Amino acid sequence: MYPEDLKYTSEHEWLRTPGEHEGSVRVGITHYAQDALGDIVFVSLPEVGESLQAGSTCGELESTKSVSDIYAPITGEVVARNESLDATPELVNNDPYGGGWLFEVVPADASQAEGLLDQAAYVASLEG
Protein backbone atom coordinates (compact mmCIF):
# COMPACT_ATOMS: atom_id res chain seq x y z
CA MET A 1 0.00 0.00 0.00
CA TYR A 2 3.00 2.31 0.64
CA PRO A 3 5.91 1.43 -1.68
CA GLU A 4 9.28 1.08 0.05
CA ASP A 5 11.24 2.78 -2.75
CA LEU A 6 9.57 6.18 -2.22
CA LYS A 7 10.13 9.09 0.14
CA TYR A 8 7.11 10.60 1.92
CA THR A 9 6.06 13.90 3.49
CA SER A 10 3.89 14.58 6.53
CA GLU A 11 1.43 16.19 4.05
CA HIS A 12 0.88 12.72 2.48
CA GLU A 13 2.86 13.22 -0.71
CA TRP A 14 5.41 10.84 -2.19
CA LEU A 15 8.59 11.36 -4.22
CA ARG A 16 10.05 8.86 -6.66
CA THR A 17 13.65 9.26 -7.75
CA PRO A 18 14.39 9.43 -10.57
CA GLY A 19 11.49 10.90 -12.50
CA GLU A 20 11.07 10.54 -16.26
CA HIS A 21 12.96 13.79 -16.99
CA GLU A 22 16.69 14.12 -16.40
CA GLY A 23 17.49 15.11 -12.82
CA SER A 24 13.85 15.16 -11.78
CA VAL A 25 11.77 13.55 -9.07
CA ARG A 26 8.13 12.52 -9.57
CA VAL A 27 5.53 13.69 -7.03
CA GLY A 28 2.12 12.32 -6.15
CA ILE A 29 -0.18 11.79 -3.18
CA THR A 30 -0.34 8.67 -1.05
CA HIS A 31 -3.05 6.04 -0.87
CA TYR A 32 -3.95 7.46 2.56
CA ALA A 33 -4.47 10.96 1.10
CA GLN A 34 -6.56 9.86 -1.87
CA ASP A 35 -8.68 7.66 0.41
CA ALA A 36 -9.26 10.52 2.86
CA LEU A 37 -10.21 12.90 0.04
CA GLY A 38 -12.72 10.58 -1.61
CA ASP A 39 -13.54 10.74 -5.31
CA ILE A 40 -11.26 13.34 -6.94
CA VAL A 41 -13.11 15.35 -9.59
CA PHE A 42 -10.63 18.13 -10.45
CA VAL A 43 -6.86 18.61 -10.23
CA SER A 44 -5.00 21.94 -10.41
CA LEU A 45 -1.24 21.50 -10.94
CA PRO A 46 1.73 23.89 -11.13
CA GLU A 47 2.84 24.97 -14.61
CA VAL A 48 6.00 23.69 -16.29
CA GLY A 49 8.77 26.21 -15.60
CA GLU A 50 7.26 27.29 -12.28
CA SER A 51 9.68 27.54 -9.35
CA LEU A 52 8.44 25.88 -6.17
CA GLN A 53 9.48 26.48 -2.59
CA ALA A 54 9.38 23.49 -0.24
CA GLY A 55 6.27 23.65 1.93
CA SER A 56 4.43 26.17 -0.24
CA THR A 57 1.07 25.51 -1.89
CA CYS A 58 1.46 24.60 -5.56
CA GLY A 59 -1.92 23.17 -6.57
CA GLU A 60 -5.26 21.75 -5.45
CA LEU A 61 -7.15 18.50 -5.46
CA GLU A 62 -10.92 18.87 -5.49
CA SER A 63 -13.02 15.92 -4.41
CA THR A 64 -16.69 15.29 -3.79
CA LYS A 65 -15.92 15.96 -0.09
CA SER A 66 -13.57 18.97 -0.09
CA VAL A 67 -10.71 20.90 -1.69
CA SER A 68 -7.21 20.07 -0.49
CA ASP A 69 -3.97 21.94 -1.18
CA ILE A 70 -0.98 20.26 -2.79
CA TYR A 71 2.28 21.30 -1.14
CA ALA A 72 5.68 21.38 -2.79
CA PRO A 73 7.69 18.64 -1.06
CA ILE A 74 11.00 20.16 -2.18
CA THR A 75 12.34 23.38 -3.69
CA GLY A 76 12.93 23.26 -7.44
CA GLU A 77 11.56 23.82 -10.95
CA VAL A 78 8.57 22.01 -12.42
CA VAL A 79 9.60 20.13 -15.59
CA ALA A 80 6.46 18.05 -16.22
CA ARG A 81 2.84 17.78 -15.13
CA ASN A 82 0.44 14.91 -15.58
CA GLU A 83 -1.82 16.30 -18.31
CA SER A 84 -3.90 13.08 -18.22
CA LEU A 85 -5.45 14.29 -14.97
CA ASP A 86 -7.28 17.11 -16.81
CA ALA A 87 -9.61 14.58 -18.43
CA THR A 88 -9.33 11.74 -15.89
CA PRO A 89 -8.71 13.11 -12.37
CA GLU A 90 -9.90 9.79 -10.93
CA LEU A 91 -6.47 8.32 -11.84
CA VAL A 92 -5.29 9.84 -8.55
CA ASN A 93 -7.75 7.56 -6.74
CA ASN A 94 -7.32 4.48 -8.92
CA ASP A 95 -3.52 4.49 -9.29
CA PRO A 96 -1.91 6.99 -6.87
CA TYR A 97 1.62 5.58 -7.36
CA GLY A 98 1.39 5.08 -11.13
CA GLY A 99 -0.89 6.85 -13.60
CA GLY A 100 -2.13 9.23 -10.89
CA TRP A 101 1.21 11.01 -10.38
CA LEU A 102 0.95 14.81 -10.23
CA PHE A 103 4.12 16.56 -11.44
CA GLU A 104 7.90 16.31 -11.74
CA VAL A 105 10.39 18.77 -10.34
CA VAL A 106 14.16 19.18 -10.68
CA PRO A 107 15.37 19.83 -7.13
CA ALA A 108 17.43 22.94 -6.44
CA ASP A 109 19.48 20.68 -4.14
CA ALA A 110 19.46 16.94 -4.84
CA SER A 111 19.96 16.11 -1.15
CA GLN A 112 16.54 17.57 -0.16
CA ALA A 113 14.78 14.22 -0.53
CA GLU A 114 17.10 12.66 2.06
CA GLY A 115 15.36 14.65 4.79
CA LEU A 116 11.94 13.20 3.98
CA LEU A 117 10.30 10.18 5.58
CA ASP A 118 11.04 6.65 4.48
CA GLN A 119 8.20 4.15 4.17
CA ALA A 120 8.50 2.85 7.75
CA ALA A 121 8.50 6.37 9.26
CA TYR A 122 5.53 7.41 7.12
CA VAL A 123 3.48 4.37 8.13
CA ALA A 124 4.41 5.01 11.78
CA SER A 125 3.18 8.61 11.44
CA LEU A 126 -0.22 7.33 10.26
CA GLU A 127 -0.52 5.00 13.24
CA GLY A 128 0.53 7.65 15.77
Side-chain angles (χ1 to χ4, degrees):
M1 188 173 303
Y2 302 103
E4 289 185 19
D5 63 329
L6 304 178
K7 290 290 193 175
Y8 297 90
T9 71
S10 56
E11 286 80 30
H12 310 291
E13 289 144 353
W14 56 260
L15 275 78
R16 175 176 286 126
T17 304
E20 295 291 314
H21 294 74
E22 187 174 342
S24 73
V25 296
R26 183 166 275 190
V27 177
I29 65 166
T30 66
H31 171 77
Y32 176 89
Q34 70 78 26
D35 188 53
L37 282 169
D39 294 334
I40 295 172
V41 296
F42 179 75
V43 178
S44 171
L45 298 173
E47 297 295 329
V48 171
E50 193 173 327
S51 292
L52 305 180
Q53 290 296 317
S56 65
T57 304
C58 63
E60 291 181 336
L61 296 170
E62 184 177 330
S63 73
T64 54
K65 293 181 183 178
S66 66
V67 175
S68 181
D69 288 333
I70 301 169
Y71 296 94
I74 57 175
T75 298
E77 182 180 334
V78 177
V79 293
R81 40 184 276 147
N82 189 349
E83 303 292 350
S84 304
L85 299 180
D86 290 344
T88 51
E90 63 273 11
L91 283 171
V92 176
N93 292 114
N94 301 337
D95 192 12
Y97 302 108
W101 65 278
L102 301 177
F103 58 91
E104 291 191 3
V105 61
V106 172
D109 176 354
S111 69
Q112 291 178 87
E114 294 169 16
L116 300 177
L117 303 171
D118 63 14
Q119 185 247 14
Y122 178 71
V123 170
S125 76
L126 297 178
E127 295 166 352

